[in-house]
Amino acid sequence: MFSSLSKLSALVAVLGIASTADASPTCTKPAVRKNWNTLSKPEKTDFLNSIKCLAKLPHNPALKTTFNPEGLPKRNESGSFYDDIIFMHMDISPPMHTQGLFLPWHRWYINAFEGALKDKCGFKGTLPYWDWTKDAADFEHASVYMDDDEESGFGGWGDPKQDFQITTGAFKDFHVSYPNYHRVRRNFTLQPYFPLSRSEYPIADLKANETFSATEVQRMIGDFDGDYQAMSQYIDAEQGARWAVHLIAGGDFADACPTNAVGCTPDTKWSANDPLFWIHHAFLDKIWSDWQNHNVKDNFNTFAPGATAKNTTKSSMMVSDGMFEATTFGNVIDTKGGFLCYTYE
């Protein structure tokens, strides 16, 4: 995490750049993003194969570093296109987890990922979401971890004898480059807060799954009418739902360092190494969309970047590290606004 508020403020200052982008096209036939558990086996296989396809494509030489946060691993130009997308999250993520920037930047980021799946790998579906409220009570045995099918399943928990690297499912041989070259790891950890900072995680004995129940999600959607800032902070709190799902899953999803990584600094946001990242964040995006539509008058078009990013407005441009088409924060407020064109079932 960043050492001071002033350092973070300096990082986000660049986001005050006004857009010169043209108006977005009209969205006439929005795509429908669906619940992962409702997809057919061929639909699941198409999605997972497309992710693996990105990991076989070469590094994009257009990738550049913008924020260079403390502990960021060096760019690996021998890595894959998928690794480049992970590097973006490490580089850009720290300021984008600041107050009100979290939701719009990640909405843009996962949409860019979906576009890459389609444009580069022929993906025919839409980015699915993972409703983890259905799995909260018994997360260790969540259906998404119980599916070991080598074509259509994400695979299970990692092997503790192999640094918790996963050995089942479609990603059993899935290697990533950051923070070093390794297979993706998962480590179920029901109470992950004990070894962490007491100032950031004051409820040390909290069970992570208590933060992402259906009741909690309904609170996110229904308790913050007209207050985008409070809603966003509640979702992205240190002991809130977003990060709790990461921590309970452990391994790469929780930004844990591989045992053989040299000079590794935890918490530099390589959590997108685990392909579960994309369906996790699609559900977070759905929660925001549900909040917007819960009270259209007071919620739909609101955006409040917060004190440390106060120069950021709807006309400010996203940072994209040279990887994808950048746009304004305002252009991602409406998922059917033209730059984006999708809805959730």
Side-chain angles (χ1 to χ4, degrees), residues 246-300:
H246 283 274
L247 289 176
I248 196 172
D252 285 82
F253 212 34
D255 298 325
C257 292
T259 56
N260 61 346
V262 177
C264 178
T265 302
D267 199 28
T268 49
K269 308 301 181 189
W270 55 74
S271 55
N273 276 344
D274 191 331
L276 282 166
F277 174 95
W278 307 105
I279 63 174
H280 167 50
H281 273 269
F283 189 56
L284 292 171
D285 185 59
K286 181 182 185 299
I287 291 171
W288 179 23
S289 177
D290 289 347
W291 176 83
Q292 290 178 292
N293 289 286
H294 168 72
N295 183 334
V296 173
K297 178 179 178 293
D298 293 334
N299 297 352
F300 194 87

Side-chain angles (χ1 to χ4, degrees), residues 8-197:
L8 185 54
S9 298
L11 282 173
V12 299
V14 70
L15 299 172
I17 302 171
S19 169
T20 58
D22 294 331
S24 295
T26 302
C27 172
T28 56
K29 295 182 179 180
V32 179
R33 291 183 177 175
K34 302 176 182 179
N35 187 322
W36 171 258
N37 286 327
T38 69
L39 300 185
S40 67
K41 180 175 178 178
E43 288 173 323
K44 291 179 178 180
T45 300
D46 182 29
F47 179 62
L48 302 188
N49 279 345
S50 297
I51 294 176
K52 290 189 286 185
C53 164
L54 289 183
K56 295 176 182 177
L57 298 179
H59 161 71
N60 181 2
L63 176 67
K64 62 182 180 180
T65 305
T66 301
F67 290 114
N68 194 31
E70 183 179 350
L72 181 72
K74 290 181 63 177
R75 281 202 312 269
N76 180 4
E77 297 187 1
S78 66
S80 71
F81 192 89
Y82 187 85
D83 292 319
D84 291 342
I85 298 172
I86 307 310
F87 184 88
M88 287 176 61
H89 193 254
M90 293 189 296
D91 179 39
I92 302 173
S93 177
M96 293 309 141
H97 282 86
T98 305
Q99 300 182 36
L101 303 185
F102 167 75
L103 289 170
W105 187 82
H106 282 82
R107 175 172 282 181
W108 169 83
Y109 181 59
I110 65 174
N111 187 73
F113 177 76
E114 180 186 60
L117 294 176
K118 292 176 178 292
D119 296 342
K120 295 182 176 295
C121 294
F123 177 52
K124 294 180 173 57
T126 55
L127 183 66
Y129 64 88
W130 171 24
D131 182 356
W132 23 252
T133 67
K134 307 295 186 185
D135 300 315
D138 186 12
F139 193 83
E140 185 176 9
H141 299 102
S143 59
V144 74
Y145 293 109
M146 295 295 102
D147 190 349
D148 291 342
D149 190 288
E150 294 188 2
E151 293 182 342
S152 61
F154 277 96
W157 300 106
D159 181 354
K161 296 179 181 178
Q162 300 183 54
D163 192 25
F164 295 97
Q165 295 176 112
I166 59 175
T167 59
T168 61
F171 297 104
K172 66 177 183 178
D173 296 315
F174 194 72
H175 287 77
V176 288
S177 291
Y178 297 109
N180 67 322
Y181 188 71
H182 69 282
R183 287 204 319 246
V184 169
R185 299 157 302 129
R186 297 185 189 133
N187 178 14
F188 174 70
T189 310
L190 182 61
Q191 292 180 287
Y193 303 108
F194 280 111
L196 303 175
S197 167

